[in-house]
Amino acid sequence: MKPKVAFYWCAACGGCEEAVVDLAEGVLDVVAAVDIVFWPVALDFKRQDLEALADRSIAASFVNGAIRSTEQAEMARLIRSKSQFVIAFGSCAQLGGIPGLANLSNRQGIFETVYREAPSTINPEGVLPARTYQDNGHRLHLPGFFDTVRKLDDIIDVDYYVPGCPPTPKLLQEAVGALLSGNLPPKGTVLAPDRALCEECPRKDTRPEKLTLAEFKRPHQVLIDPEKCMMAQGLVCLGPATRGGCETRCINGNMPCTGCFGPTSRVRDFGAKALSAVACLAASNDDAEIQRILAGIPDPVGTFYRYSLPASLLERKRMKV
Ligand code: SF4
Ligand code: SF4
């Protein structure tokens, strides 16, 4: 009997599922080694198929995406009960990810924008989605939409984490290999190197020992030198605060690191760490001048908490009541 494996997505973009497909011919090794019993994105599995499985009969379930709706929370709990190991796969499941930036608003604010205020919305009666709708003798139930986006381990117990937006196929293959071999690290481990990206960056030798900047630039404002450290070119690169293991894909593409692999084990709040690593470069002790320099980073939350707002100490923007 081959070990059973499941893949599921919650509030996600599909990129993490692509990482599975990006295994290319390596996917054949995975398929040969395991029995995929639930993967609704790729095959026609239904919730009843999962419910029919015995508790803990799935060896490992890879869940990507954050928790945005009641349905996702229910599915996560169901997967937990059917699985020996649950792996939070990708930054949305691990840290809240890009969907977690919705924590800058709430359910009411999002519904107002999407269904009433957006220029492309035509909704003269201002109708908003309801949990139940009845018409012609039929009753329709929709999942509830939470006020706050949460990471997976806020909802269920998680055994391991694979970081990245999306994770690399190599990390997925290594995670499957570790699970199949039984050669597992302690529960709660992030399955990627526990060192900063700068340590494995091909440009690290061009990063100055001491660096101060009189202005920050955005990638579209400069012709980026492909050999030189991004920070030394005035770009906000989060490599000093971000966990390595991504094979420096963005740097190889001549773009700065945006932090999708999250923090190393020594950091509690990724955004605060990244913010302090960048803000200390401002070349001034004068408040007004520091303000001017930092104004070169127009979206601080989106820059420093792009993937981790729900996992931060703040978790969400406090809304006026
Ligand atoms: S981690 Fe990135 S690739 Fe994966 S679902 Fe979230 S946004 Fe998409
Ligand atoms: S700051 Fe960015 S470009 Fe510079 S060494 Fe670190 S990861 Fe590489």
Side-chain angles (χ1 to χ4, degrees), residues 3 7 19 22 35 68 73 95 105 117 120 122 143 145 150 153 158 161 170 178 235 238 255 258 288 291 301:
F7 297 96
D22 283 350
D35 189 7
R68 161 91 280 177
L95 304 167
S105 184
E117 295 166 358
S120 57
I122 300 172
F145 189 96
R150 301 199 188 282
D153 67 8
V158 168
Y161 303 83
K170 181 169 174 275
L235 294 153
L238 301 188
M255 289 299 287
T258 58
Q291 290 294 330
V301 180

Side-chain angles (χ1 to χ4, degrees), residues 12-16 64 90-92 98 164-166:
C13 74
C16 283
N64 70 83
S91 58
C92 293
I98 299 277
C165 181

Side-chain angles (χ1 to χ4, degrees), residues 164-241:
C165 181
T168 64
K170 181 169 174 275
L171 284 185
L172 172 59
Q173 209 154 18
E174 287 173 359
V176 172
L179 288 160
L180 291 179
S181 70
N183 186 17
L184 292 163
K187 183 175 170 167
T189 298
V190 178
L191 302 177
D194 196 11
R195 58 173 178 256
L197 178 65
C198 285
E199 291 182 40
E200 45 193 68
C201 177
R203 305 185 192 194
K204 66 181 177 192
D205 294 337
T206 64
R207 187 178 158 205
E209 278 280 303
K210 284 195 177 150
L211 178 64
T212 52
L213 295 170
E215 65 174 330
F216 289 104
K217 296 173 193 142
R218 302 177 73 194
H220 67 275
Q221 295 172 319
V222 279
L223 203 56
I224 303 174
D225 182 335
E227 307 291 333
K228 199 171 160 191
C229 171
M230 303 274 183
M231 291 272 239
Q233 300 183 63
L235 294 153
V236 175
C237 182
L238 301 188

Side-chain angles (χ1 to χ4, degrees), residues 3-5 37 50 52-60 81-84:
K4 294 182 174 61
V5 166
V37 293
L50 186 61
L53 295 170
D55 281 359
R56 292 178 59 78
S57 60
I58 303 175
S81 70
K82 303 294 178 185
S83 311
Q84 292 163 37

